[in-house]
């Protein structure tokens, strides 16, 4: 009698029921995922659907084993999330199907394959529920940390114990194809222009300051992260490098479950709770939590200025700046969600997330000037003490209605959302000279708001077996505004007065109206063709008032962005995919707002309201292979932007100390790269993953009146290894390395990150204690950046003290019963393929 490896739940059983579809030693034969004493090379396809015997709902991920009449296992396949399975070649004869899934009684289903017959369809095969069996399930493993999908990959964050007690920024550091720099900025394959979604939807929380927002999201809320390198036309076209979708945890079981996670550490403290209630047609979810994050660091810079005489550059002076900073972030959030199934065909879901955050920043900046011979000029000494206080409030609401029709795969989905993020920030500066005399006071108040209203309709229609049409409409109404009032005084005794040059009144509207179509054709489960296109009309309007001068912005534009994907499937789970898409990056509010930040008097920063959107062409060739317990994903890609938005630094005038830093459409940015991702399991206890991304970046731009070209190779590497010992003890290590970076005017050195996590579970895995340490060998990570422009060379060093120690305790409670949830969470790209 064959024995199957235990199907098991995720380590966080309260959120998601999952099974590794594997078969363990059978009759002395061991193989994965299925044992087989011989391979059938001839025969016909045999397909069917596994369903719940009572509700007729699909039972996704059930294990289907093909046996001969003696009970010997020949081969097997896992059902997909819709319960569908296909055995590709079954020779004539009499057989049994052994169908199993946790929470159901295993079933033997006999059938016969006559000689010379055509493909056989067994129809729906019902399983009887066994709720008692669920209670006896022992958790013995986890889902693979990295899983391949049609358009990218999925990183299962909840299976990485080094994430416990951290933030979303800590999670993204470990995702293949992503890189997070020392300041928390995120890149995909060398580009920061990505679209980040939460549960497939945009959020204003992420729009204004992504690095800061990621510090506010607890890692304990994150189930997985999807990386989509070439999204279909169904996705918005924003994000030239691709899409990152953060999936939060939710329950797919019936009953009441909850958890509490508390974390304390030298830089991070948090408390997060959640409760899930599912009873028949109604599901309720609630989360409440808070984060306390502290970051310290320092920086120094040397700016060597030149004067040009007879085409010869000679040093004229040197300015040295040193700064220290301390950031204290506090954030609170609550989230409520509900879904209700009217019947098998109609469901409604709604969610509300409210978050608040306070960020206190204390920075000092010391400026000294030297002659070319190195003699300090005391009269130029300046010391600045700069305080910033920011208060942020966010509200995200979503309402979703889904209708399933009688025809399999035919669906209508209607979504409406309202997101708003407001911020009040106070700025104060005190400047003195080397005699401790106050030479300048500055004070400002900034009130800003971002709002986004979205209406979306998506319709999926199966035309025939193997072909599907998807169409949709979407309206996004975005508004941002700020009122910046700046006051200054040149002594401690003089009253503060307004500076109209640095005061700013800003209002910006960006409305996007879009429609799309996507047609998918599958031929004999060997070939897949997806052709689509997305039309987007963007109406941009803005009003800026700076120095009592009004500027009006009115730039409507429209784009049609094609999308095509060709895929060939081979034996042994091999796939070869070629895809092309056009993506768009619209300027952000920060890039557009002309407000002048002069906290550093030698480097004034402001936005450029004349920026145009940039279009990018993405082409990718991808090969993936699942070989027993090892997965391999290799890609070659080309990405080109002809109207690239980038930082641009230049002196106010020739031989002047002060630099301006703004944004401009600088020209062509081409990236040619290759990426490799592989993961393997050494038995059910050990797992190892390695990721590499190597690319060549070619930049050709006009900087001022000069044509500048830069090119070079860059790369990112990451690895993750875990092992589960006896007695519910596990360990995990992770590391990442980002090579030096180049831009059109600068070059920066490498940065790296590494972590170790240890976890012990108690009370039948209802509770656990975790210890995580990051960057424990050295106390800080230093990044050196060199910036060259017309009148100076600038050398900067930024030190971030990132040795982190966290101790976390979590406890899970509640009672659950198994109930297969229709439309369970799944990677979106895989869903697009499976619908037909």
């Amino acid at each position: 009698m064959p024995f199957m490896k235990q199907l098991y739940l995720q380590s966080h059983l309260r959120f998601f029921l999952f099974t590794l579809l594997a078969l363990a030693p059978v009759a002395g034969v061991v193989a994965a995922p299925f044992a087989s004493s011989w391979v059938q090379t001839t025969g016909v396809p045999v397909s069917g659907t596994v369903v719940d015997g009572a509700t007729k709902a699909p039972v996704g991920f059930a294990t289907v084993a093909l046996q001969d009449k003696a009970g010997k296992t020949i081969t097997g396949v896992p059902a997909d999330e819709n319960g569908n399975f296909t055995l590709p070649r079954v020779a004539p004869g009499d057989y049994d199907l052994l169908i199993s899934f946790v929470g159901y009684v295993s079933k033997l289903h006999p059938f016969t394959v006559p000689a010379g017959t055509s493909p056989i369809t067994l129809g729906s095969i019902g399983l009887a529920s066994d709720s008692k069996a669920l209670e006896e399930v022992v958790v013995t493993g986890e889902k693979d940390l990295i899983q391949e999908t049609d358009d990218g990959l999925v990183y299962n964050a909840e299976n990485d114990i080094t994430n416990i007690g951290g933030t979303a920024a800590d999670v993204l550091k470990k995702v293949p194809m992503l890189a997070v720099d020392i300041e928390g900025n995120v890149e995909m394959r060398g580009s920061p222009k990505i679209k980040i979604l939460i549960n497939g939807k945009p959020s204003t929380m992420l729009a204004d300051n992504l690095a800061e927002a990621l510090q506010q999201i607890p890692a304990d809320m994150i189930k997985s992260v999807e990386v989509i390198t070439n999204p279909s036309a169904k996705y918005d076209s924003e994000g030239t490098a691709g899409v990152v979708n953060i999936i939060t945890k939710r329950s797919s079981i019936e009953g009441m479950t909850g958890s509490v996670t508390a974390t304390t550490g030298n830089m991070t403290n948090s408390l997060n709770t959640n409760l899930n209630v599912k009873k028949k047609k109604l599901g309720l979810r609630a989360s409440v939590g808070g984060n306390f994050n502290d970051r310290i660091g320092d920086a120094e810079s040397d700016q060597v200025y030149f004067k040009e005489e007879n085409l010869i550059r000679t040093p004229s002076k040197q300015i040295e700046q040193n700064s220290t900073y301390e950031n204290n972030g506090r954030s609170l959030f609550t989230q409520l969600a509900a879904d209700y199934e009217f019947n098998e065909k109609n469901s409604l879901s709604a969610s509300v997330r409210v978050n608040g955050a306070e960020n206190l920043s204390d920075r000092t900046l010391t400026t000294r000037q030297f002659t070319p011979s190195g003699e300090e000029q005391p009269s130029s000494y300046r010391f600045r003490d700069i305080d910033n206080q920011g208060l942020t409030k966010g509200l995200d609401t979503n309402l979703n209605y889904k209708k399933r029709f009688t025809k399999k795969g035919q669906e209508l989905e209607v979504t409406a959302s309202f997101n708003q993020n407001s911020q009040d920030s106070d700025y104060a500066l005190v400047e003195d000279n080397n005699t401790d005399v106050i030479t300048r006071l500055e004070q400002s108040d900034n009130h800003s708001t971002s709002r986004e209203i979205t209406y979306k309709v998506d319709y999926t229609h199966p035309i025939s077996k193997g072909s599907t049409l998807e169409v949709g409409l979407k309206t996004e109404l975005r508004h941002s505004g700020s009122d910046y009032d700046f006051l200054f005084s040149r002594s401690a005794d003089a009253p503060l007065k307004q500076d109209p040059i640095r005061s700013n009144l800003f209002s910006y509207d960006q409305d996007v109206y879009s429609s799309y179509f996507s047609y998918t054709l599958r031929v004999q489960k060997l070939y897949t063709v997806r052709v689509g296109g997305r039309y987007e009309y963007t109406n941009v309007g803005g009003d800026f008032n700076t120095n009592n001068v009004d500027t009006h912005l009115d730039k409507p534009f429209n784009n049609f962005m094609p999308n095509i994907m060709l895929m060939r499937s081979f034996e042994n789970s091999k796939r070869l995919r070629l895809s092309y898409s056009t993506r768009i990056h619209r300027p952000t509010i920060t890039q557009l707002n002309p407000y002048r930040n002069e906290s550093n008097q030698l480097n004034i920063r402001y936005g450029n309201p004349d920026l145009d959107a940039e279009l990018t062409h993405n082409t990718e060739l991808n090969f993936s292979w699942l070989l027993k317990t090892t997965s391999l994903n290799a890609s070659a890609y080309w990405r080109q932007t002809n109207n690239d938005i980038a930082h641009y630094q230049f002196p106010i005038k020739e031989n002047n100390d002060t630099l301006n830093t703004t944004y401009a459409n600088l020209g062509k940015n081409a990236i040619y790269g290759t990426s490799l991702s592989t993961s393997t399991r050494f038995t059910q206890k050990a797992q190892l993953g390695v990721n590499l991304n190597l690319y060549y970046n070619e930049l050709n731009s006009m900087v001022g009146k000069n044509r500048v070209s830069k090119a070079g190779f860059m790369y990112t590497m990451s690895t993750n290894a875990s092992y589960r010992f006896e007695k519910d003890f596990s360990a995990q290590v992770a590391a990442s390395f980002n090579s030096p970076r180049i831009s059109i005017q600068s070059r920066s050195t490498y940065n790296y990150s590494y972590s170790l996590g240890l976890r012990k579970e108690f009370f039948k895995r209802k509770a656990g204690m975790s210890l995580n340490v990051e960057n424990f060998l050295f106390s800080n990570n230093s990044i050196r950046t060199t910036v060259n422009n017309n009148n100076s060379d600038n050398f900067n060093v930024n030190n971030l003290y990132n040795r982190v120690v966290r101790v976390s305790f979590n406890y899970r409670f509640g009672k659950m019963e198994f109930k297969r949830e229709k439309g369970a969470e799944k990677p979106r790209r895989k869903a697009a393929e499976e619908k037909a």
Side-chain angles (χ1 to χ4, degrees):
M1 177 178 179
F3 295 93
M4 302 186 65
K5 282 184 179 178
Q6 282 186 298
L7 298 169
Y8 53 87
L9 303 177
Q10 283 282 23
S11 58
H12 298 293
L13 190 60
R14 65 194 184 280
F15 291 115
F16 193 66
L17 190 61
F18 187 84
T19 177
L20 286 182
L21 307 164
L23 194 66
V26 285
V29 180
V30 180
F34 283 92
S36 178
S37 57
W38 53 277
V39 178
Q40 294 185 338
T41 58
T42 61
V44 299
V46 175
S47 60
T49 303
V50 184
V51 300
D52 186 298
T55 66
K56 306 304 179 185
V59 178
F61 308 111
T63 302
V64 181
L66 178 67
Q67 298 181 344
D68 61 20
K69 286 301 181 179
K72 185 176 182 180
T73 300
I74 300 170
T75 186
V77 295
D80 65 18
E81 59 268 25
N82 296 316
N84 300 318
F85 68 89
T86 299
L87 298 163
R89 286 187 295 272
V90 181
D94 296 324
Y95 302 94
D96 288 319
L97 289 181
L98 176 61
I99 305 174
S100 303
F101 189 66
V102 70
Y104 289 95
V105 179
S106 297
K107 181 174 184 176
L108 277 177
H109 182 82
F111 71 99
T112 299
V113 178
T117 187
S118 57
I120 294 176
T121 301
L122 301 177
S124 296
I125 303 174
L127 297 183
S129 178
D130 184 7
S131 59
K132 182 178 179 180
L134 180 67
E135 298 174 3
E136 298 173 352
V137 169
V138 178
V139 180
T140 59
E142 291 85 19
K143 188 190 301 183
D144 288 339
L145 198 63
I146 307 296
Q147 291 180 307
E148 310 298 335
T149 62
D150 283 353
D151 295 325
L153 54 84
V154 173
Y155 167 73
N156 292 303
E158 63 182 349
N159 290 99
D160 190 339
I161 64 174
T162 63
N163 291 326
I164 297 174
T167 67
D170 300 313
V171 173
L172 294 186
K173 289 177 183 177
K174 305 178 183 104
V175 179
M177 293 188 282
L178 300 186
V180 181
D181 68 13
I182 194 172
E183 297 178 346
N185 300 306
V186 184
E187 289 184 355
M188 180 191 294
R189 290 177 169 176
S191 173
K193 296 159 187 175
I194 56 181
K195 183 69 172 180
I196 295 188
L197 308 174
I198 297 180
N199 295 324
K201 303 176 180 65
S203 172
T204 53
M205 177 184 179
L206 305 175
D208 296 330
N209 189 329
L210 177 61
E212 182 178 311
L214 292 175
Q215 292 290 340
Q216 299 175 24
I217 302 175
D220 306 309
M221 288 182 60
I222 300 175
K223 174 182 181 291
S224 61
V225 178
E226 300 179 62
V227 178
I228 312 169
T229 55
N230 254 331
S232 71
K234 186 174 182 177
Y235 284 86
D236 290 349
S237 296
E238 288 189 48
T240 55
V243 174
V244 174
N245 189 18
I246 299 173
I247 303 295
T248 59
K249 296 173 180 177
R250 57 177 295 178
S251 177
S252 60
I253 51 184
E254 186 165 290
M256 188 274 289
T257 61
S259 70
V260 178
T261 302
T263 298
T264 184
N266 63 329
M267 291 189 180
T268 300
N269 295 275
S270 65
L271 177 64
N272 300 298
T273 64
N274 69 77
L275 181 68
N276 302 277
V277 179
K278 185 71 179 292
K279 187 64 176 177
K280 295 182 180 179
K281 297 182 177 182
L282 178 64
L284 300 173
R285 297 179 299 280
S287 300
V288 179
N291 276 1
F292 299 82
N293 295 295
D294 300 324
R295 294 291 183 268
I296 59 175
D298 59 68
E300 57 184 84
S301 69
D302 289 320
Q303 297 171 258
V304 180
Y305 291 85
F306 300 91
K307 60 182 179 180
E308 187 172 310
E309 296 177 353
N310 300 321
L311 301 180
I312 298 177
R313 297 177 79 197
T314 58
S316 60
K317 60 186 169 184
Q318 178 180 339
I319 294 179
E320 179 185 291
Q321 290 189 312
N322 294 277
S323 67
T324 63
Y325 60 89
E326 179 179 354
N327 293 326
N328 305 116
R330 310 288 183 259
S331 63
L332 298 172
F333 75 92
T334 181
Q335 180 170 301
L336 301 173
D339 56 77
Y340 185 81
E341 294 183 353
F342 297 96
N343 49 48
E344 292 184 4
K345 305 296 183 184
N346 297 274
S347 62
L348 183 68
S349 62
S351 66
V352 177
R353 182 174 66 244
V354 179
N355 62 277
E358 179 182 24
N359 188 69
L360 303 175
S361 174
D362 184 11
R363 180 183 174 212
T364 65
L365 178 64
T366 304
T367 303
R368 292 181 172 90
Q369 184 171 317
F370 300 84
T371 65
S373 61
E375 180 182 354
E376 184 175 357
Q377 297 178 311
S379 62
S380 299
Y381 174 89
R382 293 290 182 271
F383 176 81
R384 289 188 161 196
D385 188 358
I386 306 165
D387 292 323
N388 282 282
Q389 179 182 16
L391 297 174
T392 302
K393 298 178 183 178
L395 172 67
D396 286 7
T397 63
N398 291 278
L399 182 65
N400 178 273
Y401 168 74
K402 179 178 285 188
K403 179 176 179 58
R404 301 179 180 90
F405 296 87
T406 304
K407 190 174 184 179
K408 183 180 178 181
Q410 185 180 4
E411 292 182 351
L412 174 67
E413 188 170 3
V414 181
T415 303
S417 65
F418 174 85
N419 303 328
Q420 180 168 294
N421 197 61
S422 60
Q423 185 174 37
D424 295 329
S425 60
D426 297 323
Y427 159 89
L429 177 146
V430 178
E431 177 187 277
D432 61 63
N433 57 23
N434 58 356
T435 61
D436 295 329
V437 174
I438 293 178
T439 55
R440 187 173 181 85
L441 295 173
E442 294 181 356
Q443 180 178 311
S444 69
D445 297 314
N446 184 22
H447 307 281
S448 61
T449 302
S450 297
R451 183 181 66 245
E452 181 172 317
I453 302 173
T454 302
Y455 305 100
K456 185 175 68 166
V457 178
D458 298 298
Y459 176 69
T460 303
H461 186 83
I463 298 174
S464 62
K465 185 177 181 180
S467 65
T468 304
L469 177 66
E470 295 177 290
V471 295
L473 300 171
K474 186 174 184 179
T475 297
E476 298 169 278
L477 308 176
R478 299 166 177 162
H479 171 78
S480 295
S482 68
D483 185 355
Y484 196 94
D485 191 22
F486 181 87
L487 306 173
F488 80 101
S489 171
R490 297 192 182 278
S491 72
D493 300 327
L496 293 168
K497 60 180 180 180
Q498 188 182 54
D499 185 349
I501 296 178
R502 295 181 63 182
S503 297
N504 173 259
L505 186 62
F506 170 66
S507 178
Y508 177 79
D509 291 286
Q510 183 189 92
D511 300 334
V512 182
Y513 306 90
S514 58
S515 61
Y516 75 89
F517 76 92
S518 182
Y519 175 74
T520 304
L521 174 66
R522 297 173 185 83
V523 181
Q524 298 178 350
K525 298 200 174 187
L526 296 178
Y527 301 94
T528 302
V529 180
R530 186 181 68 209
V531 180
R534 189 175 186 94
Y535 173 79
E536 294 186 348
Y537 173 79
T538 306
N539 187 25
V540 174
D543 291 289
F544 316 95
N545 185 291
T546 302
N547 198 19
N548 297 319
V549 176
D550 291 326
T551 302
H552 180 69
L553 178 67
D554 187 10
K555 285 188 174 182
F557 56 92
N558 62 86
N559 304 94
F560 176 75
M561 285 152 286
N563 184 292
I564 186 169
M565 187 269 288
L566 307 173
M567 186 168 67
R568 170 70 161 90
S569 299
F570 301 90
E571 294 180 350
N572 301 322
S573 301
K574 297 177 184 176
R575 294 186 302 182
L576 184 65
R577 184 185 77 240
L578 176 65
S579 57
Y580 167 81
S581 65
T582 304
R583 310 286 297 168
I584 191 172
H585 172 72
R586 299 177 179 88
T588 65
I589 303 303
T590 301
Q591 293 171 335
L592 290 167
N593 193 343
Y595 158 70
R596 296 169 63 86
N597 182 344
E598 297 186 13
S599 58
N600 184 346
Q601 70 273 28
L602 296 179
N603 191 351
I604 300 173
R605 298 174 179 270
Y606 53 92
N608 178 8
D610 293 325
L611 288 175
D612 294 322
E614 61 180 41
L615 287 178
T616 298
H617 303 276
N618 287 334
T619 303
E620 180 181 10
L621 180 65
N622 175 271
F623 174 75
S624 62
W625 185 14
L626 177 62
L627 179 63
K628 294 185 178 180
T629 57
T630 300
S631 66
L632 173 70
N633 188 297
S635 296
Y637 59 92
W638 165 68
R639 184 171 68 239
Q640 179 166 315
T641 303
N642 295 321
N643 200 24
D644 187 48
I645 298 175
H647 273 108
Y648 169 39
Q649 190 177 86
F650 60 97
I652 291 179
K653 59 183 178 180
E654 189 175 355
N655 297 325
N656 189 281
D657 296 353
T658 304
L659 296 174
N660 285 358
T661 299
T662 186
Y663 299 89
N665 295 106
L666 291 182
K668 175 184 173 183
N669 184 343
I671 291 180
Y672 312 88
T674 181
S675 63
L676 176 67
S677 175
T678 182
S679 63
T680 186
R681 279 190 180 274
F682 305 96
T683 75
Q684 290 295 326
K685 294 184 177 181
Q687 179 173 275
L688 173 66
V690 178
N691 308 285
L692 172 65
N693 179 41
L694 172 67
Y695 60 95
Y696 181 78
N697 194 186
E698 184 180 61
L699 303 164
N700 293 282
S701 301
M702 289 295 296
V703 178
K705 299 179 180 180
N706 302 317
R707 181 173 295 278
V708 179
S709 296
K710 285 275 190 76
F713 282 98
M714 288 171 276
Y715 60 91
T716 62
M717 297 186 298
S718 65
T719 184
N720 194 299
S722 63
Y723 190 84
R724 179 175 289 278
F725 299 89
E726 300 297 330
K727 298 183 180 180
D728 295 332
F729 180 75
S730 57
Q732 192 155 2
V733 294
S736 64
F737 183 90
N738 302 321
S739 72
R741 292 289 192 267
I742 63 170
S743 73
I744 200 64
Q745 288 182 300
S746 68
R747 179 179 178 85
S748 61
T749 58
Y750 62 85
N751 67 86
Y752 58 87
S753 171
Y754 52 91
S755 59
L756 169 65
L758 304 174
R759 180 171 175 79
K760 179 68 172 72
E761 294 175 302
F762 311 93
F763 311 131
K764 297 182 180 180
R765 299 193 177 177
K766 289 185 177 180
M769 180 77 73
S770 301
L771 169 66
N772 287 287
V773 289
E774 299 178 11
N775 309 306
F776 45 86
L777 295 178
F778 306 100
S779 62
N780 68 293
N781 196 347
S782 298
I783 304 296
R784 293 171 172 81
T785 304
T786 302
V787 181
N788 305 109
N789 53 62
N790 294 340
N791 74 332
S792 64
D793 292 334
N794 307 282
F795 307 94
N796 308 287
V797 179
N798 189 0
N799 299 305
L800 175 65
Y801 294 90
N802 60 347
R803 179 182 286 163
V804 179
V805 180
R806 297 192 304 267
V807 177
S808 300
F809 175 80
N810 72 290
Y811 178 74
R812 300 186 295 272
F813 59 88
K815 182 179 179 181
M816 64 196 70
E817 297 177 358
F818 179 80
K819 178 176 172 60
R820 186 62 196 166
E821 181 182 5
K822 296 186 288 294
E825 292 175 8
K826 52 185 177 288
R828 292 175 178 267
R829 296 158 308 290
K830 185 174 180 180
E833 175 186 321
E834 305 279 339
K835 282 181 180 178

